[in-house]
PDB file of all heavy atoms in Angstrom:
ATOM      1  N   THR P 637      -4.623   0.926  30.846  1.00  0.00           N
ATOM      2  CA  THR P 637      -5.272   1.246  29.583  1.00  0.00           C
ATOM      3  C   THR P 637      -5.055   2.708  29.218  1.00  0.00           C
ATOM      4  O   THR P 637      -4.635   3.524  30.045  1.00  0.00           O
ATOM      5  CB  THR P 637      -6.785   0.976  29.656  1.00  0.00           C
ATOM      6  OG1 THR P 637      -7.378   1.926  30.569  1.00  0.00           O
ATOM      7  CG2 THR P 637      -7.067  -0.442  30.130  1.00  0.00           C
ATOM      8  N   VAL P 638      -5.384   3.033  27.986  1.00  0.00           N
ATOM      9  CA  VAL P 638      -5.290   4.409  27.520  1.00  0.00           C
ATOM     10  C   VAL P 638      -6.203   5.298  28.355  1.00  0.00           C
ATOM     11  O   VAL P 638      -5.852   6.429  28.699  1.00  0.00           O
ATOM     12  CB  VAL P 638      -5.661   4.492  26.028  1.00  0.00           C
ATOM     13  CG1 VAL P 638      -5.712   5.939  25.565  1.00  0.00           C
ATOM     14  CG2 VAL P 638      -4.662   3.711  25.186  1.00  0.00           C
ATOM     15  N   GLY P 639      -7.393   4.787  28.690  1.00  0.00           N
ATOM     16  CA  GLY P 639      -8.311   5.554  29.510  1.00  0.00           C
ATOM     17  C   GLY P 639      -7.757   5.843  30.893  1.00  0.00           C
ATOM     18  O   GLY P 639      -7.958   6.921  31.455  1.00  0.00           O
ATOM     19  N   ASP P 640      -7.028   4.885  31.472  1.00  0.00           N
ATOM     20  CA  ASP P 640      -6.418   5.076  32.791  1.00  0.00           C
ATOM     21  C   ASP P 640      -5.334   6.149  32.757  1.00  0.00           C
ATOM     22  O   ASP P 640      -5.250   7.013  33.635  1.00  0.00           O
ATOM     23  CB  ASP P 640      -5.786   3.768  33.288  1.00  0.00           C
ATOM     24  CG  ASP P 640      -6.821   2.690  33.577  1.00  0.00           C
ATOM     25  OD1 ASP P 640      -7.963   3.042  33.928  1.00  0.00           O
ATOM     26  OD2 ASP P 640      -6.471   1.506  33.451  1.00  0.00           O
ATOM     27  N   VAL P 732      -8.494   4.947  19.305  1.00  0.00           N
ATOM     28  CA  VAL P 732      -8.616   3.653  19.993  1.00  0.00           C
ATOM     29  C   VAL P 732      -9.698   3.741  21.071  1.00  0.00           C
ATOM     30  O   VAL P 732      -9.965   4.825  21.609  1.00  0.00           O
ATOM     31  CB  VAL P 732      -7.283   3.234  20.664  1.00  0.00           C
ATOM     32  CG1 VAL P 732      -6.185   3.015  19.639  1.00  0.00           C
ATOM     33  CG2 VAL P 732      -6.855   4.266  21.708  1.00  0.00           C
ATOM     34  N   PRO P 733     -10.306   2.609  21.426  1.00  0.00           N
ATOM     35  CA  PRO P 733     -11.209   2.597  22.577  1.00  0.00           C
ATOM     36  C   PRO P 733     -10.433   2.906  23.855  1.00  0.00           C
ATOM     37  O   PRO P 733      -9.256   2.530  23.976  1.00  0.00           O
ATOM     38  CB  PRO P 733     -11.744   1.158  22.592  1.00  0.00           C
ATOM     39  CG  PRO P 733     -11.540   0.666  21.196  1.00  0.00           C
ATOM     40  CD  PRO P 733     -10.272   1.311  20.720  1.00  0.00           C
ATOM     41  N   PRO P 734     -11.042   3.575  24.823  1.00  0.00           N
ATOM     42  CA  PRO P 734     -10.348   3.871  26.087  1.00  0.00           C
ATOM     43  C   PRO P 734      -9.840   2.624  26.806  1.00  0.00           C
ATOM     44  O   PRO P 734      -8.890   2.702  27.588  1.00  0.00           O
ATOM     45  CB  PRO P 734     -11.423   4.588  26.910  1.00  0.00           C
ATOM     46  CG  PRO P 734     -12.340   5.190  25.892  1.00  0.00           C
ATOM     47  CD  PRO P 734     -12.375   4.195  24.757  1.00  0.00           C
ATOM     48  N   SER P 735     -10.461   1.474  26.543  1.00  0.00           N
ATOM     49  CA  SER P 735     -10.052   0.235  27.203  1.00  0.00           C
ATOM     50  C   SER P 735      -8.813  -0.396  26.586  1.00  0.00           C
ATOM     51  O   SER P 735      -8.309  -1.411  27.084  1.00  0.00           O
ATOM     52  CB  SER P 735     -11.200  -0.777  27.146  1.00  0.00           C
ATOM     53  OG  SER P 735     -11.558  -1.053  25.789  1.00  0.00           O
ATOM     54  N   THR P 736      -8.288   0.197  25.526  1.00  0.00           N
ATOM     55  CA  THR P 736      -7.107  -0.350  24.850  1.00  0.00           C
ATOM     56  C   THR P 736      -5.875  -0.250  25.741  1.00  0.00           C
ATOM     57  O   THR P 736      -5.619   0.787  26.359  1.00  0.00           O
ATOM     58  CB  THR P 736      -6.846   0.426  23.536  1.00  0.00           C
ATOM     59  OG1 THR P 736      -8.008   0.367  22.718  1.00  0.00           O
ATOM     60  CG2 THR P 736      -5.664  -0.165  22.780  1.00  0.00           C
ATOM     61  N   ALA P 737      -5.107  -1.336  25.822  1.00  0.00           N
ATOM     62  CA  ALA P 737      -3.865  -1.317  26.597  1.00  0.00           C
ATOM     63  C   ALA P 737      -2.893  -0.313  26.000  1.00  0.00           C
ATOM     64  O   ALA P 737      -2.773  -0.191  24.777  1.00  0.00           O
ATOM     65  CB  ALA P 737      -3.244  -2.709  26.613  1.00  0.00           C
ATOM     66  N   VAL P 765      -7.089   9.937  19.711  1.00  0.00           N
ATOM     67  CA  VAL P 765      -8.465  10.196  20.131  1.00  0.00           C
ATOM     68  C   VAL P 765      -9.143   8.884  20.517  1.00  0.00           C
ATOM     69  O   VAL P 765      -8.653   7.799  20.200  1.00  0.00           O
ATOM     70  CB  VAL P 765      -9.287  10.882  19.013  1.00  0.00           C
ATOM     71  CG1 VAL P 765      -8.702  12.229  18.659  1.00  0.00           C
ATOM     72  CG2 VAL P 765      -9.347   9.990  17.770  1.00  0.00           C
ATOM     73  N   ALA P 766     -10.290   9.017  21.184  1.00  0.00           N
ATOM     74  CA  ALA P 766     -11.077   7.852  21.574  1.00  0.00           C
ATOM     75  C   ALA P 766     -12.063   7.489  20.471  1.00  0.00           C
ATOM     76  O   ALA P 766     -12.595   8.359  19.777  1.00  0.00           O
ATOM     77  CB  ALA P 766     -11.836   8.138  22.866  1.00  0.00           C
ATOM     78  N   ALA P 767     -12.286   6.191  20.310  1.00  0.00           N
ATOM     79  CA  ALA P 767     -13.239   5.698  19.317  1.00  0.00           C
ATOM     80  C   ALA P 767     -13.719   4.320  19.747  1.00  0.00           C
ATOM     81  O   ALA P 767     -13.216   3.745  20.709  1.00  0.00           O
ATOM     82  CB  ALA P 767     -12.583   5.626  17.938  1.00  0.00           C
ATOM     83  N   ARG P 768     -14.686   3.780  19.025  1.00  0.00           N
ATOM     84  CA  ARG P 768     -15.229   2.467  19.373  1.00  0.00           C
ATOM     85  C   ARG P 768     -14.334   1.336  18.905  1.00  0.00           C
ATOM     86  O   ARG P 768     -14.460   0.202  19.387  1.00  0.00           O
ATOM     87  CB  ARG P 768     -16.628   2.305  18.766  1.00  0.00           C
ATOM     88  CG  ARG P 768     -17.666   3.236  19.367  1.00  0.00           C
ATOM     89  CD  ARG P 768     -19.040   2.958  18.796  1.00  0.00           C
ATOM     90  NE  ARG P 768     -20.059   3.806  19.416  1.00  0.00           N
ATOM     91  CZ  ARG P 768     -21.352   3.767  19.106  1.00  0.00           C
ATOM     92  NH1 ARG P 768     -21.782   2.913  18.170  1.00  0.00           N
ATOM     93  NH2 ARG P 768     -22.208   4.573  19.711  1.00  0.00           N
TER      94      ARG P 768
END
Side-chain angles (χ1 to χ4, degrees):
T637 68
V638 174
D640 293 331
V732 297
S735 59
T736 303
V765 298
R768 293 184 177 180

